Amino acid sequence: KQWYQRRVAITAGEEKYRRMGYGEEILLLMMTYAVQHLPVETFSAKIKDDNKPSILFFSKLGFKKVGYSDVFKEIEYQMPRDTLKKINCKTLTYKPFKD
Protein backbone atom coordinates (compact mmCIF):
# COMPACT_ATOMS: atom_id res chain seq x y z
CA LYS A 1 0.00 0.00 0.00
CA GLN A 2 1.42 3.38 -1.00
CA TRP A 3 1.09 6.22 1.54
CA TYR A 4 0.80 9.89 0.75
CA GLN A 5 1.17 13.31 2.26
CA ARG A 6 -2.13 15.23 2.16
CA ARG A 7 -2.29 19.02 2.25
CA VAL A 8 -5.00 20.60 4.37
CA ALA A 9 -6.28 24.16 4.26
CA ILE A 10 -9.19 26.03 5.73
CA THR A 11 -10.58 29.54 5.31
CA ALA A 12 -13.26 31.34 7.27
CA GLY A 13 -14.07 34.15 4.87
CA GLU A 14 -16.62 35.94 7.01
CA GLU A 15 -15.28 37.32 10.27
CA LYS A 16 -18.51 36.61 12.13
CA TYR A 17 -17.81 32.85 11.77
CA ARG A 18 -14.22 33.01 13.04
CA ARG A 19 -13.12 31.84 16.51
CA MET A 20 -16.30 29.80 17.02
CA GLY A 21 -14.70 26.36 16.74
CA TYR A 22 -16.07 25.59 13.27
CA GLY A 23 -12.64 25.53 11.63
CA GLU A 24 -11.20 23.09 14.14
CA GLU A 25 -14.19 20.80 13.92
CA ILE A 26 -14.30 20.80 10.12
CA LEU A 27 -10.56 20.27 9.76
CA LEU A 28 -10.51 17.38 12.25
CA LEU A 29 -13.51 15.77 10.54
CA MET A 30 -11.81 16.05 7.12
CA MET A 31 -8.58 14.60 8.48
CA THR A 32 -10.40 11.79 10.29
CA TYR A 33 -12.19 10.91 7.04
CA ALA A 34 -8.86 10.90 5.20
CA VAL A 35 -7.26 8.56 7.75
CA GLN A 36 -10.23 6.19 7.52
CA HIS A 37 -10.62 6.20 3.72
CA LEU A 38 -7.38 7.32 2.05
CA PRO A 39 -3.77 6.17 2.17
CA VAL A 40 -2.37 9.08 4.17
CA GLU A 41 0.76 9.14 6.29
CA THR A 42 1.20 12.87 6.94
CA PHE A 43 -0.92 16.01 6.79
CA SER A 44 0.72 19.22 5.61
CA ALA A 45 -0.21 22.92 5.79
CA LYS A 46 1.60 25.94 4.36
CA ILE A 47 0.97 29.23 6.13
CA LYS A 48 2.18 32.76 5.37
CA ASP A 49 4.68 33.74 8.04
CA ASP A 50 2.65 36.82 9.05
CA ASN A 51 -0.61 34.88 9.55
CA LYS A 52 -0.37 34.53 13.33
CA PRO A 53 -3.96 33.26 13.86
CA SER A 54 -3.40 30.35 11.43
CA ILE A 55 0.00 29.55 12.91
CA LEU A 56 -1.57 29.34 16.38
CA PHE A 57 -4.53 27.34 15.04
CA PHE A 58 -2.43 24.63 13.39
CA SER A 59 0.06 24.53 16.27
CA LYS A 60 -2.78 24.05 18.75
CA LEU A 61 -4.00 21.07 16.75
CA GLY A 62 -0.58 19.42 16.96
CA PHE A 63 1.03 20.42 13.66
CA LYS A 64 4.81 20.91 13.91
CA LYS A 65 6.97 23.33 11.92
CA VAL A 66 9.09 21.40 9.41
CA GLY A 67 10.23 23.99 6.91
CA TYR A 68 10.24 27.54 5.60
CA SER A 69 10.21 29.07 2.11
CA ASP A 70 12.04 32.39 1.82
CA VAL A 71 10.64 32.82 -1.68
CA PHE A 72 6.97 32.50 -0.65
CA LYS A 73 7.40 33.59 3.00
CA GLU A 74 5.55 30.44 4.06
CA ILE A 75 6.05 28.11 6.98
CA GLU A 76 5.33 24.43 6.38
CA TYR A 77 3.70 22.46 9.17
CA GLN A 78 3.08 18.71 9.31
CA MET A 79 1.16 16.26 11.43
CA PRO A 80 1.67 12.48 11.19
CA ARG A 81 -1.51 10.40 11.01
CA ASP A 82 -0.67 8.84 14.38
CA THR A 83 -0.96 12.27 16.06
CA LEU A 84 -4.51 12.59 14.75
CA LYS A 85 -5.42 9.26 16.33
CA LYS A 86 -4.49 10.73 19.72
CA ILE A 87 -6.98 13.59 19.37
CA ASN A 88 -10.31 12.76 20.96
CA CYS A 89 -12.66 13.27 18.01
CA LYS A 90 -15.60 12.00 20.08
CA THR A 91 -16.02 15.54 21.37
CA LEU A 92 -16.83 16.79 17.88
CA THR A 93 -20.46 17.70 17.37
CA TYR A 94 -22.42 19.23 14.54
CA LYS A 95 -23.37 22.85 15.22
CA PRO A 96 -25.39 24.47 12.43
CA PHE A 97 -24.53 28.03 11.44
CA LYS A 98 -26.87 30.65 12.82
CA ASP A 99 -27.16 34.04 11.13
Side-chain angles (χ1 to χ4, degrees):
K1 189 175 192 179
Q2 188 174 8
W3 295 91
Y4 299 94
Q5 177 175 311
R6 304 289 179 179
R7 182 159 309 154
V8 293
I10 190 158
T11 302
E14 294 188 46
E15 283 195 42
K16 66 181 178 180
Y17 294 121
R18 295 178 189 167
R19 292 177 174 59
M20 297 177 70
Y22 296 124
E24 180 178 348
E25 185 166 353
I26 290 166
L27 189 64
L28 289 174
L29 288 171
M30 288 189 312
M31 292 168 59
T32 299
Y33 177 87
V35 166
Q36 292 172 349
H37 300 284
L38 300 170
V40 59
E41 183 175 320
T42 306
F43 293 98
S44 168
K46 292 188 177 183
I47 304 167
K48 291 287 188 187
D49 62 6
D50 63 349
N51 189 342
K52 302 299 181 206
S54 288
I55 290 169
L56 291 172
F57 174 79
F58 280 92
S59 296
K60 176 185 158 196
L61 288 178
F63 281 75
K64 303 293 183 203
K65 181 179 175 180
V66 296
Y68 183 78
S69 169
D70 287 323
V71 175
F72 295 107
K73 305 287 187 226
E74 289 179 333
I75 305 168
E76 183 174 2
Y77 287 85
Q78 289 184 353
M79 175 196 282
R81 68 180 273 131
D82 292 339
T83 302
L84 181 64
K85 291 178 183 180
K86 296 175 187 172
I87 297 173
N88 184 1
C89 294
K90 293 179 183 177
T91 61
L92 300 177
T93 57
Y94 172 73
K95 301 172 198 151
F97 288 108
K98 294 180 182 173
D99 286 329

